[in-house]
Amino acid sequence: MAKIRIKDIAQRAGVSVGTVDRVLHNRPNVSPKALEKVNQALSEMDYKPNMYASALAYNKSYNFFCIIPKHESEAYWQEVEEGVMAACERRRDFSVSQTMMFYNRFSPETFSKVMTECLRQKPDGVIVVPSTLETTRKYTDQMHEQQIPFILLDSYMPDLKPLSFYGQDSFSSGYFAARMLMMMAPRETEIMLMKQMRGGNVASKQQENRETGFRHYMHDHFPSVAIHEVNLSLDDKPEHYDDILEEFFAAHPQVHHCITFNSKAHLVGNFLLRSNRRNVQIMGYDMVPQNAECVRQGSISFLIAQHGYMQGYACIETLFNAIVLKKEVDPVNYMPIELLTKENINFYRRKNIG
């Protein structure tokens, strides 16, 4: 099909080239009659604008902010960061950049401070891992008022009316984890659930929902199995974790299976390797390097992947499509629930888009 030029549209509509240009770029000073003629010509000619060319010609820069929890290196959130940066690099011809900001997951006050600074800098779009619903709502309401599109990452809170959401269906993920675990342990009477809490709370709503899904499955199918919680407290020093685990396994010699809903399964996995305990199987989350190494060495049996890199990358692409290219985007994007083992972990492609 031949390329439709502005000149062709103007000729068909009986208006000037300048009028067509103003209509195509939503500029003012077009009379209602001229606008009607141009829109009719566009419809008759089945005109499809080149959104990429238009965005490049507009010569505007875009800064997307990403608000995520503080984290250590080689953590799940680092994967998200790398995905965000890779997507911005892909779109650098459109002057897309990113600003990372970090808050303490257990401190709504630090979230408020970071969000206040973010909005002060007038971002073009925001990716945010939410704090509590009410704390987050204060800032999402402001973004709606200021017409700043935002994406929720990790925890879905539909009441906040985000442009889009990326993350797993946490309840289904926990339910799936329970089913997979009990396929390995159908005759077990006790299971260890490792948590990392601070002040009696886990780090995210996502972890809470995973545990809820897990417990629903266990209640429905294995109600007699005892679930023993072990807290490797974030208020404690990591060097004390071995003592906590040693005491637990000494007191519960019948526990041969452990599950955790965070990315720190390697804390138990490395303990098992150091203590030469080979009769305990672990299921955890996230293909971070320390977890992956424990899978290769056999102290972790299964990991559920949630594609942190893909989530970060996709969030930037969604903001780009919505804001720069003016495209419709999907409001809810659940990530796949994938099970990684020693046999397939080396074939898992962390950076599999872009």
Side-chain angles (χ1 to χ4, degrees):
M1 181 182 292
K3 180 180 178 181
I4 299 175
R5 302 169 300 177
I6 290 181
K7 180 180 178 181
D8 301 324
I9 300 168
Q11 186 175 18
R12 187 174 189 115
V15 299
S16 69
V17 169
T19 297
V20 175
D21 184 73
R22 286 193 291 275
V23 171
L24 292 178
H25 294 93
N26 295 312
R27 297 187 182 118
N29 302 320
V30 179
S31 70
K33 185 175 181 180
L35 178 62
E36 182 181 357
K37 287 182 178 180
V38 172
N39 283 334
Q40 183 177 344
L42 293 174
S43 177
E44 291 172 353
M45 300 172 79
D46 194 24
Y47 175 75
K48 299 292 189 301
N50 186 332
M51 302 303 294
Y52 285 88
S54 297
L56 284 169
Y58 193 45
N59 197 30
K60 183 184 184 320
S61 61
Y62 304 88
N63 192 10
F64 300 146
F65 278 60
C66 186
I67 314 300
I68 64 175
K70 291 179 182 177
H71 58 85
E72 61 195 33
S73 63
E74 296 191 345
Y76 165 73
W77 297 112
Q78 184 177 354
E79 297 254 315
V80 173
E81 276 193 71
E82 291 174 3
V84 165
M85 291 186 287
C88 287
E89 175 64 20
R90 182 187 179 198
R91 299 302 185 184
R92 65 178 177 175
D93 288 347
F94 296 86
S95 298
V96 171
S97 62
Q98 54 80 24
T99 298
M100 290 282 176
M101 302 185 77
F102 307 94
Y103 70 95
N104 185 330
R105 197 74 187 256
F106 291 93
S107 171
E109 293 78 17
T110 63
F111 179 84
S112 295
K113 182 178 179 180
V114 166
M115 285 301 305
T116 298
E117 177 60 21
C118 168
L119 296 182
R120 187 189 70 79
Q121 297 190 42
K122 301 188 182 303
D124 295 289
V126 178
I127 302 161
V128 57
V129 177
S131 179
T132 64
L133 177 62
E134 289 311 311
T135 300
T136 307
R137 189 194 302 275
K138 176 181 176 182
Y139 299 98
T140 56
D141 284 350
Q142 292 181 46
M143 286 191 279
H144 282 302
E145 290 171 5
Q146 298 174 35
Q147 297 185 320
I148 301 172
F150 66 91
I151 294 174
L152 292 183
L153 178 63
D154 187 58
S155 296
Y156 187 32
M157 299 178 179
D159 289 352
L160 302 182
K161 298 180 173 58
L163 169 71
S164 190
F165 162 75
Y166 279 90
Q168 281 188 344
D169 181 326
S170 302
F171 180 92
S172 295
S173 176
Y175 198 89
F176 170 81
R179 184 178 181 188
M180 294 300 101
L181 180 67
M182 297 315 294
M183 287 178 68
M184 293 190 298
R187 295 181 178 84
E188 295 297 302
T189 58
E190 302 176 71
I191 289 173
M192 169 185 159
L193 169 56
M194 187 276 275
K195 293 185 175 183
Q196 284 201 291
M197 296 189 289
R198 176 168 289 161
N201 299 309
V202 295
S204 70
K205 188 68 174 176
Q206 185 188 61
Q207 289 183 40
E208 291 180 14
N209 290 340
R210 287 171 182 168
E211 183 178 343
T212 300
F214 174 83
R215 289 186 180 276
H216 266 264
Y217 181 90
M218 297 302 292
H219 178 270
D220 292 344
H221 300 281
F222 293 89
S224 64
V225 173
I227 300 173
H228 303 295
E229 293 188 11
V230 175
N231 178 26
L232 302 185
S233 175
L234 290 166
D235 297 311
D236 204 348
K237 294 181 179 179
E239 51 264 34
H240 294 163
Y241 293 166
D242 276 14
D243 293 337
I244 295 170
L245 292 170
E246 186 65 54
E247 181 179 346
F248 173 82
F249 284 113
H252 299 87
Q254 299 306 311
V255 170
H256 303 113
H257 294 272
C258 167
I259 189 164
T260 182
F261 300 112
N262 60 33
S263 61
K264 300 298 182 67
H266 60 84
L267 294 177
V268 183
N270 286 327
F271 166 78
L272 296 179
L273 292 172
R274 287 192 297 269
S275 61
N276 199 31
R277 294 176 184 269
R278 296 293 179 175
N279 63 341
V280 179
Q281 303 293 312
I282 308 171
M283 175 178 282
Y285 277 76
D286 301 330
M287 214 282 277
V288 297
Q290 292 183 72
N291 282 347
E293 185 57 31
C294 285
V295 171
R296 294 185 184 102
Q297 294 194 43
S299 62
I300 295 178
S301 299
F302 295 101
L303 288 174
I304 295 178
Q306 58 175 333
H307 298 281
Y309 180 93
M310 284 179 63
Q311 289 184 56
Y313 192 104
C315 284
I316 290 294
E317 281 291 283
T318 296
L319 288 177
F320 174 81
N321 285 327
I323 297 170
V324 182
L325 300 185
K326 315 297 183 187
K327 290 183 176 180
E328 293 289 327
V329 297
D330 293 331
V332 179
N333 302 272
Y334 285 123
M335 305 306 292
I337 301 172
E338 296 185 347
L339 200 64
L340 304 181
T341 69
K342 186 176 183 179
E343 290 72 28
N344 70 354
I345 196 165
N346 289 331
F347 304 105
Y348 175 74
R349 295 293 183 258
R350 179 171 67 87
K351 299 183 178 181
N352 58 352
I353 54 177

